Amino acid sequence: MDIKSMKNYLYWLYCQFELITCSYLMEPWEKLLFYTFNVTMLVMVLYTTYIFVPVHISTAFQFFLHLFGNQHEKTVSVVK
Amino acid sequence: MANPSAVCNGHLHHHHHQKQNNLLKSGIHKKNGITKGMKKNGVSNGTVYKKKFVEHFEQAPMYVAVLTFLGFGVGTIFGYLRDFMRAWGLEKRNLAAEREQQKDFVPLYQDFENFYTRNLYMRIRDNWNRPICSVPGPQFDLMERVTDDYNWTFRFTGRIIKNVINMGSYNYLGFAETDVNALKTVTIELQKYGTGICSTRQEMGTLDKHVELEKLVATFLGVEDAMVFGMGFATNSMNIPALVGKGCLILSDELNHTSLVLGARLSGATIRIFKHNNMQSLENLLRDAIVYGQPRSRRAWRKIIILVEGIYSMEGSIVRLPEIVSLKKKYKAYLYLDEAHSIGAVGATGRGVVEYFGMSPDDVDVLMGTFTKSFGAAGGYIAGKKDLVDFLRTHSHSAVYATSMCPPVAEQIIRAMKCLMGLDGTTQGLQRVQQLGKNTRYFRRRLHEMGFIIYGNDDSPVVPLLLYMPGKIGAFARRMLEKNIGVVVVGFPATPITESRARFCVSAAHTREMLDTVLNALDELGDFLHLKYSRYSKSSHPELYEETRLELED
């Protein structure tokens, strides 16, 4: 039952997407072109996110740590 | 009642365009539901309107406008793609093109002007020009047609879709009927006169039927005289040039019908446009016209005429007649009122906006109307003082050149008008008018409660339901037809680009069951297509709609 209502909801969302972007009016080959383009862009954005975002976040984290936690590092090096 | 509404007032003012009584002028305040007004001779000071004037022009949330533009953007990109393919021969050209030998001449077809038609209209073209094969009463029969090449050509399958509920015809009082008893007199006249007139009014085309009809129209409206013409559009476009000419000024509403615009342009007078139903804009124009006169010579204008309509069919709004009449009297201008949609449809006994506002027909100089909408016939009339109508009988282009109205149609109007006035001995006419009023109020109230955005005045039988996005226009019309309901959807050239709508015309012939069927279908479809954009669903805020706003809204 839950799966069925979930599927209905997803189908409804897909219909909304079709109506809003006018792909409801397109001929089949135009739809193919449009969806291919969209899916390609989406995959590229996700791939970029996957590659770059963790690196950027850890760099930013280190920068802030350096900014605020500078005293602790110094004491650590003296002890060393 | 005062305190919560005072807070809501600011909220309402920002989001909800609601035009109401201008009680402001005399500073009448509502405290705890009691009106403390200055009363002179038993009449509240400053009120021009005898009853509440409530109009809705709600704006949709911002994301709707953004998504609409997105939809049009995608449509435009694909339009360019298709045009590119057509230009480079990758796709067959279906529209007109010049011959090879003419390629070096000045281009005959400006491609870009038809961009919208070629690329967006063609895709949803199957929702317009649908042929019907029965009388356009509350229900009609539709010829089924299919397309094999995405709406470039159609073919009829031969089947007929029966009993489609008709929400698109201008059949306000339900006089488009085939009942034999109702059409008895029309049949008699048809056998007596035949169908053709074969002449113009000024030659041999004036029959005793026309004289009878004109007298009846004049009595119906309460004026001195009237003249009837064979075609409603031509009544405007052929008579305005006879009434005004060069050196005159025409002040025309922004959203006037094409017939009025055409008539105004043909006349050669100067045309100035004022914002839709906006009295400040009109007053500014009048003042400028009187102070500055004609553009170069600074002479006074020969005539200043204000062109307005009774009910605007795309918005469903009713003209603010009392204010216009007071402005016209103050600045000594003339008023031309086009009651195409309002005659028969509003007013306690169906006599149009003049009766709706409780005014006298002497206040309006030229009363024009058509018989196409409420009377189930064809043609138009112009009514007013006897001098005006006598002038038109000699000077109108329509009287000199156009064939006059044919007798069976004239008889149909006579019988419909007699029915409305009660002269046939029954109260059927009054019942129809009241039924229309009930249907209108019920339909509008239910649509507001469901959460759709509806434009227009609460008493107007024309109900525009906003769809906004181009993709939804086609989907809406097709799905309603699948549910056996015929609707009219309107898109870009006739409406602003972001405000496409579906326009319903309520009729006195619709029964409560039919309206309920339509409303249930709209409910379902509204949920499926996500059309319920209204932020003010009426049932949840009943007190907001009883409020009398104390500010004049532009």
Side-chain angles (χ1 to χ4, degrees), chain A residues 12 15-16 19-22 24-30 33-34, chain B residues 71 74 78 81-82 123-124 150 470-471 475 478 527-530:
Chain A
W12 181 80
C15 281
Q16 290 303 303
L19 284 171
I20 289 173
T21 56
C22 284
Y24 170 81
L25 305 174
M26 293 180 194
E27 298 173 26
W29 62 269
E30 287 174 329
L33 203 63
F34 185 60
Chain B
V74 172
F78 274 91
L81 175 69
R82 298 293 293 269
R123 294 179 192 265
I124 44 178
Y150 300 102
R478 285 176 199 154
D527 285 329
F528 181 70
L529 294 177
H530 193 56

PDB file of all heavy atoms in Angstrom, chain A residues 12 15-16 19-22 24-30 33-34, chain B residues 71 74 78 81-82 123-124 150 470-471 475 478 527-530:
ATOM      1  N   TRP A  12       2.862  11.556  -9.996  1.00  0.00           N
ATOM      2  CA  TRP A  12       2.286  12.905  -9.986  1.00  0.00           C
ATOM      3  C   TRP A  12       3.381  13.957 -10.100  1.00  0.00           C
ATOM      4  O   TRP A  12       3.259  14.927 -10.838  1.00  0.00           O
ATOM      5  CB  TRP A  12       1.486  13.089  -8.700  1.00  0.00           C
ATOM      6  CG  TRP A  12       0.830  14.413  -8.580  1.00  0.00           C
ATOM      7  CD1 TRP A  12      -0.337  14.812  -9.177  1.00  0.00           C
ATOM      8  CD2 TRP A  12       1.290  15.527  -7.819  1.00  0.00           C
ATOM      9  NE1 TRP A  12      -0.626  16.105  -8.824  1.00  0.00           N
ATOM     10  CE2 TRP A  12       0.360  16.565  -7.991  1.00  0.00           C
ATOM     11  CE3 TRP A  12       2.397  15.759  -7.009  1.00  0.00           C
ATOM     12  CZ2 TRP A  12       0.496  17.807  -7.389  1.00  0.00           C
ATOM     13  CZ3 TRP A  12       2.535  16.997  -6.407  1.00  0.00           C
ATOM     14  CH2 TRP A  12       1.602  17.999  -6.596  1.00  0.00           C
ATOM     15  N   CYS A  15       4.497  14.121 -13.599  1.00  0.00           N
ATOM     16  CA  CYS A  15       3.526  14.863 -14.419  1.00  0.00           C
ATOM     17  C   CYS A  15       3.694  16.361 -14.236  1.00  0.00           C
ATOM     18  O   CYS A  15       3.643  17.130 -15.202  1.00  0.00           O
ATOM     19  CB  CYS A  15       2.097  14.477 -14.051  1.00  0.00           C
ATOM     20  SG  CYS A  15       1.602  12.926 -14.762  1.00  0.00           S
ATOM     21  N   GLN A  16       3.924  16.785 -12.986  1.00  0.00           N
ATOM     22  CA  GLN A  16       4.110  18.218 -12.740  1.00  0.00           C
ATOM     23  C   GLN A  16       5.341  18.722 -13.487  1.00  0.00           C
ATOM     24  O   GLN A  16       5.317  19.794 -14.102  1.00  0.00           O
ATOM     25  CB  GLN A  16       4.301  18.489 -11.240  1.00  0.00           C
ATOM     26  CG  GLN A  16       3.066  18.269 -10.434  1.00  0.00           C
ATOM     27  CD  GLN A  16       1.924  19.126 -10.929  1.00  0.00           C
ATOM     28  OE1 GLN A  16       2.027  20.335 -10.997  1.00  0.00           O
ATOM     29  NE2 GLN A  16       0.846  18.485 -11.301  1.00  0.00           N
ATOM     30  N   LEU A  19       4.490  19.144 -17.099  1.00  0.00           N
ATOM     31  CA  LEU A  19       3.634  20.281 -17.398  1.00  0.00           C
ATOM     32  C   LEU A  19       4.402  21.579 -17.293  1.00  0.00           C
ATOM     33  O   LEU A  19       4.259  22.464 -18.116  1.00  0.00           O
ATOM     34  CB  LEU A  19       2.455  20.317 -16.424  1.00  0.00           C
ATOM     35  CG  LEU A  19       1.355  19.314 -16.673  1.00  0.00           C
ATOM     36  CD1 LEU A  19       0.398  19.327 -15.515  1.00  0.00           C
ATOM     37  CD2 LEU A  19       0.625  19.626 -17.954  1.00  0.00           C
ATOM     38  N   ILE A  20       5.231  21.687 -16.244  1.00  0.00           N
ATOM     39  CA  ILE A  20       5.902  22.967 -16.011  1.00  0.00           C
ATOM     40  C   ILE A  20       6.912  23.253 -17.086  1.00  0.00           C
ATOM     41  O   ILE A  20       7.042  24.379 -17.546  1.00  0.00           O
ATOM     42  CB  ILE A  20       6.558  22.966 -14.619  1.00  0.00           C
ATOM     43  CG1 ILE A  20       5.465  23.021 -13.562  1.00  0.00           C
ATOM     44  CG2 ILE A  20       7.495  24.137 -14.458  1.00  0.00           C
ATOM     45  CD1 ILE A  20       5.981  22.861 -12.175  1.00  0.00           C
ATOM     46  N   THR A  21       7.657  22.216 -17.520  1.00  0.00           N
ATOM     47  CA  THR A  21       8.694  22.483 -18.516  1.00  0.00           C
ATOM     48  C   THR A  21       8.193  22.293 -19.930  1.00  0.00           C
ATOM     49  O   THR A  21       8.978  22.227 -20.859  1.00  0.00           O
ATOM     50  CB  THR A  21       9.886  21.540 -18.304  1.00  0.00           C
ATOM     51  OG1 THR A  21       9.391  20.214 -18.349  1.00  0.00           O
ATOM     52  CG2 THR A  21      10.561  21.812 -16.996  1.00  0.00           C
ATOM     53  N   CYS A  22       6.871  22.211 -20.122  1.00  0.00           N
ATOM     54  CA  CYS A  22       6.291  22.070 -21.459  1.00  0.00           C
ATOM     55  C   CYS A  22       6.718  20.800 -22.170  1.00  0.00           C
ATOM     56  O   CYS A  22       6.562  20.714 -23.381  1.00  0.00           O
ATOM     57  CB  CYS A  22       6.662  23.243 -22.367  1.00  0.00           C
ATOM     58  SG  CYS A  22       5.722  24.706 -21.998  1.00  0.00           S
ATOM     59  N   TYR A  24       5.307  18.116 -21.851  1.00  0.00           N
ATOM     60  CA  TYR A  24       4.049  17.449 -22.148  1.00  0.00           C
ATOM     61  C   TYR A  24       3.635  17.706 -23.594  1.00  0.00           C
ATOM     62  O   TYR A  24       2.945  16.905 -24.219  1.00  0.00           O
ATOM     63  CB  TYR A  24       2.991  17.995 -21.178  1.00  0.00           C
ATOM     64  CG  TYR A  24       1.570  17.602 -21.456  1.00  0.00           C
ATOM     65  CD1 TYR A  24       1.083  16.377 -21.062  1.00  0.00           C
ATOM     66  CD2 TYR A  24       0.699  18.482 -22.088  1.00  0.00           C
ATOM     67  CE1 TYR A  24      -0.224  16.022 -21.296  1.00  0.00           C
ATOM     68  CE2 TYR A  24      -0.604  18.145 -22.319  1.00  0.00           C
ATOM     69  CZ  TYR A  24      -1.075  16.910 -21.928  1.00  0.00           C
ATOM     70  OH  TYR A  24      -2.373  16.585 -22.159  1.00  0.00           O
ATOM     71  N   LEU A  25       4.086  18.864 -24.128  1.00  0.00           N
ATOM     72  CA  LEU A  25       3.672  19.237 -25.474  1.00  0.00           C
ATOM     73  C   LEU A  25       4.626  18.741 -26.537  1.00  0.00           C
ATOM     74  O   LEU A  25       4.375  18.913 -27.721  1.00  0.00           O
ATOM     75  CB  LEU A  25       3.621  20.768 -25.588  1.00  0.00           C
ATOM     76  CG  LEU A  25       2.783  21.519 -24.585  1.00  0.00           C
ATOM     77  CD1 LEU A  25       2.990  22.998 -24.769  1.00  0.00           C
ATOM     78  CD2 LEU A  25       1.338  21.183 -24.747  1.00  0.00           C
ATOM     79  N   MET A  26       5.750  18.162 -26.109  1.00  0.00           N
ATOM     80  CA  MET A  26       6.778  17.856 -27.105  1.00  0.00           C
ATOM     81  C   MET A  26       6.529  16.518 -27.770  1.00  0.00           C
ATOM     82  O   MET A  26       5.929  15.619 -27.190  1.00  0.00           O
ATOM     83  CB  MET A  26       8.138  17.799 -26.428  1.00  0.00           C
ATOM     84  CG  MET A  26       8.608  19.130 -25.913  1.00  0.00           C
ATOM     85  SD  MET A  26      10.185  18.886 -25.150  1.00  0.00           S
ATOM     86  CE  MET A  26      10.355  20.394 -24.267  1.00  0.00           C
ATOM     87  N   GLU A  27       7.055  16.416 -28.986  1.00  0.00           N
ATOM     88  CA  GLU A  27       6.994  15.125 -29.670  1.00  0.00           C
ATOM     89  C   GLU A  27       8.022  14.190 -29.043  1.00  0.00           C
ATOM     90  O   GLU A  27       8.957  14.657 -28.396  1.00  0.00           O
ATOM     91  CB  GLU A  27       7.292  15.346 -31.149  1.00  0.00           C
ATOM     92  CG  GLU A  27       6.264  16.246 -31.803  1.00  0.00           C
ATOM     93  CD  GLU A  27       6.641  16.613 -33.227  1.00  0.00           C
ATOM     94  OE1 GLU A  27       7.377  15.831 -33.838  1.00  0.00           O
ATOM     95  OE2 GLU A  27       6.196  17.664 -33.698  1.00  0.00           O
ATOM     96  N   PRO A  28       7.876  12.869 -29.246  1.00  0.00           N
ATOM     97  CA  PRO A  28       8.752  11.904 -28.543  1.00  0.00           C
ATOM     98  C   PRO A  28      10.248  12.158 -28.720  1.00  0.00           C
ATOM     99  O   PRO A  28      10.998  12.065 -27.739  1.00  0.00           O
ATOM    100  CB  PRO A  28       8.343  10.559 -29.141  1.00  0.00           C
ATOM    101  CG  PRO A  28       6.942  10.750 -29.549  1.00  0.00           C
ATOM    102  CD  PRO A  28       6.789  12.180 -29.959  1.00  0.00           C
ATOM    103  N   TRP A  29      10.674  12.480 -29.940  1.00  0.00           N
ATOM    104  CA  TRP A  29      12.114  12.668 -30.109  1.00  0.00           C
ATOM    105  C   TRP A  29      12.586  13.923 -29.385  1.00  0.00           C
ATOM    106  O   TRP A  29      13.688  13.972 -28.831  1.00  0.00           O
ATOM    107  CB  TRP A  29      12.499  12.701 -31.587  1.00  0.00           C
ATOM    108  CG  TRP A  29      11.899  13.811 -32.371  1.00  0.00           C
ATOM    109  CD1 TRP A  29      10.729  13.792 -33.064  1.00  0.00           C
ATOM    110  CD2 TRP A  29      12.446  15.109 -32.550  1.00  0.00           C
ATOM    111  NE1 TRP A  29      10.511  14.991 -33.659  1.00  0.00           N
ATOM    112  CE2 TRP A  29      11.555  15.821 -33.368  1.00  0.00           C
ATOM    113  CE3 TRP A  29      13.607  15.759 -32.099  1.00  0.00           C
ATOM    114  CZ2 TRP A  29      11.770  17.139 -33.745  1.00  0.00           C
ATOM    115  CZ3 TRP A  29      13.835  17.074 -32.475  1.00  0.00           C
ATOM    116  CH2 TRP A  29      12.903  17.758 -33.289  1.00  0.00           C
ATOM    117  N   GLU A  30      11.718  14.956 -29.315  1.00  0.00           N
ATOM    118  CA  GLU A  30      12.088  16.167 -28.578  1.00  0.00           C
ATOM    119  C   GLU A  30      12.215  15.869 -27.086  1.00  0.00           C
ATOM    120  O   GLU A  30      13.114  16.362 -26.406  1.00  0.00           O
ATOM    121  CB  GLU A  30      11.029  17.256 -28.784  1.00  0.00           C
ATOM    122  CG  GLU A  30      11.050  17.892 -30.141  1.00  0.00           C
ATOM    123  CD  GLU A  30       9.889  18.856 -30.332  1.00  0.00           C
ATOM    124  OE1 GLU A  30       8.830  18.617 -29.730  1.00  0.00           O
ATOM    125  OE2 GLU A  30      10.050  19.825 -31.066  1.00  0.00           O
ATOM    126  N   LEU A  33      15.462  14.136 -26.428  1.00  0.00           N
ATOM    127  CA  LEU A  33      16.545  15.113 -26.452  1.00  0.00           C
ATOM    128  C   LEU A  33      16.587  15.901 -25.145  1.00  0.00           C
ATOM    129  O   LEU A  33      17.629  16.048 -24.501  1.00  0.00           O
ATOM    130  CB  LEU A  33      16.298  16.059 -27.619  1.00  0.00           C
ATOM    131  CG  LEU A  33      17.479  16.818 -28.196  1.00  0.00           C
ATOM    132  CD1 LEU A  33      18.461  15.847 -28.776  1.00  0.00           C
ATOM    133  CD2 LEU A  33      16.987  17.768 -29.287  1.00  0.00           C
ATOM    134  N   PHE A  34      15.417  16.390 -24.745  1.00  0.00           N
ATOM    135  CA  PHE A  34      15.314  17.231 -23.546  1.00  0.00           C
ATOM    136  C   PHE A  34      15.727  16.458 -22.304  1.00  0.00           C
ATOM    137  O   PHE A  34      16.517  16.934 -21.485  1.00  0.00           O
ATOM    138  CB  PHE A  34      13.880  17.735 -23.428  1.00  0.00           C
ATOM    139  CG  PHE A  34      13.625  18.718 -22.324  1.00  0.00           C
ATOM    140  CD1 PHE A  34      14.290  19.927 -22.293  1.00  0.00           C
ATOM    141  CD2 PHE A  34      12.725  18.424 -21.313  1.00  0.00           C
ATOM    142  CE1 PHE A  34      14.055  20.832 -21.282  1.00  0.00           C
ATOM    143  CE2 PHE A  34      12.489  19.324 -20.306  1.00  0.00           C
ATOM    144  CZ  PHE A  34      13.149  20.531 -20.281  1.00  0.00           C
TER     145      PHE A  34
ATOM    146  N   GLY B  71       8.736  27.618 -18.432  1.00  0.00           N
ATOM    147  CA  GLY B  71       8.020  26.847 -19.446  1.00  0.00           C
ATOM    148  C   GLY B  71       8.103  27.511 -20.807  1.00  0.00           C
ATOM    149  O   GLY B  71       8.382  26.860 -21.822  1.00  0.00           O
ATOM    150  N   VAL B  74      11.666  27.116 -22.259  1.00  0.00           N
ATOM    151  CA  VAL B  74      11.917  25.804 -22.875  1.00  0.00           C
ATOM    152  C   VAL B  74      11.198  25.715 -24.212  1.00  0.00           C
ATOM    153  O   VAL B  74      11.764  25.265 -25.221  1.00  0.00           O
ATOM    154  CB  VAL B  74      11.458  24.678 -21.937  1.00  0.00           C
ATOM    155  CG1 VAL B  74      11.531  23.345 -22.630  1.00  0.00           C
ATOM    156  CG2 VAL B  74      12.286  24.669 -20.681  1.00  0.00           C
ATOM    157  N   PHE B  78      13.030  25.146 -27.932  1.00  0.00           N
ATOM    158  CA  PHE B  78      12.656  24.096 -28.876  1.00  0.00           C
ATOM    159  C   PHE B  78      12.071  24.672 -30.148  1.00  0.00           C
ATOM    160  O   PHE B  78      12.200  24.093 -31.221  1.00  0.00           O
ATOM    161  CB  PHE B  78      11.704  23.093 -28.221  1.00  0.00           C
ATOM    162  CG  PHE B  78      12.433  22.027 -27.497  1.00  0.00           C
ATOM    163  CD1 PHE B  78      12.741  22.171 -26.156  1.00  0.00           C
ATOM    164  CD2 PHE B  78      12.859  20.899 -28.166  1.00  0.00           C
ATOM    165  CE1 PHE B  78      13.445  21.191 -25.496  1.00  0.00           C
ATOM    166  CE2 PHE B  78      13.559  19.913 -27.512  1.00  0.00           C
ATOM    167  CZ  PHE B  78      13.866  20.060 -26.167  1.00  0.00           C
ATOM    168  N   LEU B  81      14.978  25.467 -32.238  1.00  0.00           N
ATOM    169  CA  LEU B  81      15.535  24.216 -32.768  1.00  0.00           C
ATOM    170  C   LEU B  81      14.738  23.736 -33.965  1.00  0.00           C
ATOM    171  O   LEU B  81      15.286  23.386 -35.015  1.00  0.00           O
ATOM    172  CB  LEU B  81      15.530  23.159 -31.657  1.00  0.00           C
ATOM    173  CG  LEU B  81      15.975  21.766 -32.062  1.00  0.00           C
ATOM    174  CD1 LEU B  81      17.452  21.770 -32.365  1.00  0.00           C
ATOM    175  CD2 LEU B  81      15.691  20.767 -30.955  1.00  0.00           C
ATOM    176  N   ARG B  82      13.405  23.753 -33.830  1.00  0.00           N
ATOM    177  CA  ARG B  82      12.557  23.284 -34.933  1.00  0.00           C
ATOM    178  C   ARG B  82      12.671  24.196 -36.143  1.00  0.00           C
ATOM    179  O   ARG B  82      12.694  23.740 -37.282  1.00  0.00           O
ATOM    180  CB  ARG B  82      11.098  23.213 -34.492  1.00  0.00           C
ATOM    181  CG  ARG B  82      10.816  22.265 -33.370  1.00  0.00           C
ATOM    182  CD  ARG B  82      11.036  20.844 -33.774  1.00  0.00           C
ATOM    183  NE  ARG B  82      10.073  20.407 -34.756  1.00  0.00           N
ATOM    184  CZ  ARG B  82       8.910  19.830 -34.478  1.00  0.00           C
ATOM    185  NH1 ARG B  82       8.572  19.620 -33.229  1.00  0.00           N
ATOM    186  NH2 ARG B  82       8.094  19.455 -35.436  1.00  0.00           N
ATOM    187  N   ARG B 123       1.116  23.163 -31.234  1.00  0.00           N
ATOM    188  CA  ARG B 123       1.190  21.959 -30.408  1.00  0.00           C
ATOM    189  C   ARG B 123      -0.096  21.700 -29.653  1.00  0.00           C
ATOM    190  O   ARG B 123      -0.423  20.572 -29.309  1.00  0.00           O
ATOM    191  CB  ARG B 123       2.335  22.089 -29.405  1.00  0.00           C
ATOM    192  CG  ARG B 123       3.692  22.131 -30.053  1.00  0.00           C
ATOM    193  CD  ARG B 123       4.747  22.294 -28.982  1.00  0.00           C
ATOM    194  NE  ARG B 123       6.016  22.625 -29.535  1.00  0.00           N
ATOM    195  CZ  ARG B 123       6.955  21.738 -29.813  1.00  0.00           C
ATOM    196  NH1 ARG B 123       6.723  20.462 -29.600  1.00  0.00           N
ATOM    197  NH2 ARG B 123       8.105  22.117 -30.303  1.00  0.00           N
ATOM    198  N   ILE B 124      -0.858  22.790 -29.344  1.00  0.00           N
ATOM    199  CA  ILE B 124      -2.097  22.586 -28.573  1.00  0.00           C
ATOM    200  C   ILE B 124      -3.312  23.019 -29.365  1.00  0.00           C
ATOM    201  O   ILE B 124      -4.377  23.268 -28.815  1.00  0.00           O
ATOM    202  CB  ILE B 124      -2.046  23.344 -27.230  1.00  0.00           C
ATOM    203  CG1 ILE B 124      -1.500  24.746 -27.411  1.00  0.00           C
ATOM    204  CG2 ILE B 124      -1.247  22.584 -26.233  1.00  0.00           C
ATOM    205  CD1 ILE B 124      -1.497  25.514 -26.121  1.00  0.00           C
ATOM    206  N   TYR B 150       0.623  15.563 -35.281  1.00  0.00           N
ATOM    207  CA  TYR B 150       0.785  16.578 -34.246  1.00  0.00           C
ATOM    208  C   TYR B 150       0.120  17.899 -34.598  1.00  0.00           C
ATOM    209  O   TYR B 150       0.736  18.935 -34.591  1.00  0.00           O
ATOM    210  CB  TYR B 150       2.274  16.810 -33.916  1.00  0.00           C
ATOM    211  CG  TYR B 150       2.925  15.563 -33.415  1.00  0.00           C
ATOM    212  CD1 TYR B 150       3.734  14.793 -34.239  1.00  0.00           C
ATOM    213  CD2 TYR B 150       2.681  15.104 -32.130  1.00  0.00           C
ATOM    214  CE1 TYR B 150       4.289  13.614 -33.769  1.00  0.00           C
ATOM    215  CE2 TYR B 150       3.241  13.937 -31.658  1.00  0.00           C
ATOM    216  CZ  TYR B 150       4.025  13.194 -32.492  1.00  0.00           C
ATOM    217  OH  TYR B 150       4.577  12.037 -32.043  1.00  0.00           O
ATOM    218  N   PRO B 470       1.971  27.439 -19.752  1.00  0.00           N
ATOM    219  CA  PRO B 470       1.529  27.034 -21.092  1.00  0.00           C
ATOM    220  C   PRO B 470       1.255  25.544 -21.206  1.00  0.00           C
ATOM    221  O   PRO B 470       0.345  25.133 -21.924  1.00  0.00           O
ATOM    222  CB  PRO B 470       2.691  27.456 -21.996  1.00  0.00           C
ATOM    223  CG  PRO B 470       3.845  27.631 -21.101  1.00  0.00           C
ATOM    224  CD  PRO B 470       3.322  28.013 -19.775  1.00  0.00           C
ATOM    225  N   GLY B 471       2.020  24.719 -20.492  1.00  0.00           N
ATOM    226  CA  GLY B 471       1.797  23.279 -20.572  1.00  0.00           C
ATOM    227  C   GLY B 471       0.430  22.893 -20.042  1.00  0.00           C
ATOM    228  O   GLY B 471      -0.213  21.965 -20.538  1.00  0.00           O
ATOM    229  N   ALA B 475      -3.220  20.535 -21.340  1.00  0.00           N
ATOM    230  CA  ALA B 475      -3.594  19.415 -20.469  1.00  0.00           C
ATOM    231  C   ALA B 475      -4.990  19.618 -19.899  1.00  0.00           C
ATOM    232  O   ALA B 475      -5.811  18.700 -19.867  1.00  0.00           O
ATOM    233  CB  ALA B 475      -2.580  19.284 -19.338  1.00  0.00           C
ATOM    234  N   ARG B 478      -7.804  19.199 -22.652  1.00  0.00           N
ATOM    235  CA  ARG B 478      -7.965  17.809 -23.103  1.00  0.00           C
ATOM    236  C   ARG B 478      -8.580  16.936 -22.038  1.00  0.00           C
ATOM    237  O   ARG B 478      -9.455  16.114 -22.297  1.00  0.00           O
ATOM    238  CB  ARG B 478      -6.619  17.237 -23.497  1.00  0.00           C
ATOM    239  CG  ARG B 478      -6.129  17.755 -24.825  1.00  0.00           C
ATOM    240  CD  ARG B 478      -4.767  17.246 -25.140  1.00  0.00           C
ATOM    241  NE  ARG B 478      -4.148  18.085 -26.159  1.00  0.00           N
ATOM    242  CZ  ARG B 478      -2.859  18.234 -26.306  1.00  0.00           C
ATOM    243  NH1 ARG B 478      -2.033  17.615 -25.488  1.00  0.00           N
ATOM    244  NH2 ARG B 478      -2.382  19.015 -27.250  1.00  0.00           N
ATOM    245  N   ASP B 527      -6.453  19.269  -8.345  1.00  0.00           N
ATOM    246  CA  ASP B 527      -5.461  18.575  -7.533  1.00  0.00           C
ATOM    247  C   ASP B 527      -4.415  17.917  -8.408  1.00  0.00           C
ATOM    248  O   ASP B 527      -3.227  17.970  -8.119  1.00  0.00           O
ATOM    249  CB  ASP B 527      -6.140  17.488  -6.684  1.00  0.00           C
ATOM    250  CG  ASP B 527      -6.881  18.100  -5.522  1.00  0.00           C
ATOM    251  OD1 ASP B 527      -6.426  19.159  -5.038  1.00  0.00           O
ATOM    252  OD2 ASP B 527      -7.915  17.545  -5.116  1.00  0.00           O
ATOM    253  N   PHE B 528      -4.873  17.311  -9.522  1.00  0.00           N
ATOM    254  CA  PHE B 528      -3.919  16.592 -10.359  1.00  0.00           C
ATOM    255  C   PHE B 528      -2.946  17.540 -11.054  1.00  0.00           C
ATOM    256  O   PHE B 528      -1.753  17.279 -11.136  1.00  0.00           O
ATOM    257  CB  PHE B 528      -4.676  15.762 -11.395  1.00  0.00           C
ATOM    258  CG  PHE B 528      -3.776  14.971 -12.276  1.00  0.00           C
ATOM    259  CD1 PHE B 528      -3.075  13.892 -11.776  1.00  0.00           C
ATOM    260  CD2 PHE B 528      -3.590  15.328 -13.590  1.00  0.00           C
ATOM    261  CE1 PHE B 528      -2.219  13.169 -12.582  1.00  0.00           C
ATOM    262  CE2 PHE B 528      -2.743  14.609 -14.401  1.00  0.00           C
ATOM    263  CZ  PHE B 528      -2.054  13.531 -13.901  1.00  0.00           C
ATOM    264  N   LEU B 529      -3.470  18.666 -11.574  1.00  0.00           N
ATOM    265  CA  LEU B 529      -2.601  19.595 -12.286  1.00  0.00           C
ATOM    266  C   LEU B 529      -2.008  20.656 -11.368  1.00  0.00           C
ATOM    267  O   LEU B 529      -1.235  21.489 -11.810  1.00  0.00           O
ATOM    268  CB  LEU B 529      -3.383  20.314 -13.389  1.00  0.00           C
ATOM    269  CG  LEU B 529      -3.900  19.483 -14.552  1.00  0.00           C
ATOM    270  CD1 LEU B 529      -4.705  20.365 -15.479  1.00  0.00           C
ATOM    271  CD2 LEU B 529      -2.750  18.866 -15.306  1.00  0.00           C
ATOM    272  N   HIS B 530      -2.383  20.623 -10.102  1.00  0.00           N
ATOM    273  CA  HIS B 530      -1.884  21.606  -9.126  1.00  0.00           C
ATOM    274  C   HIS B 530      -2.222  23.025  -9.550  1.00  0.00           C
ATOM    275  O   HIS B 530      -1.363  23.847  -9.828  1.00  0.00           O
ATOM    276  CB  HIS B 530      -0.377  21.446  -8.933  1.00  0.00           C
ATOM    277  CG  HIS B 530       0.139  22.178  -7.742  1.00  0.00           C
ATOM    278  ND1 HIS B 530      -0.350  21.983  -6.473  1.00  0.00           N
ATOM    279  CD2 HIS B 530       1.077  23.133  -7.626  1.00  0.00           C
ATOM    280  CE1 HIS B 530       0.263  22.776  -5.634  1.00  0.00           C
ATOM    281  NE2 HIS B 530       1.151  23.490  -6.307  1.00  0.00           N
TER     282      HIS B 530
END
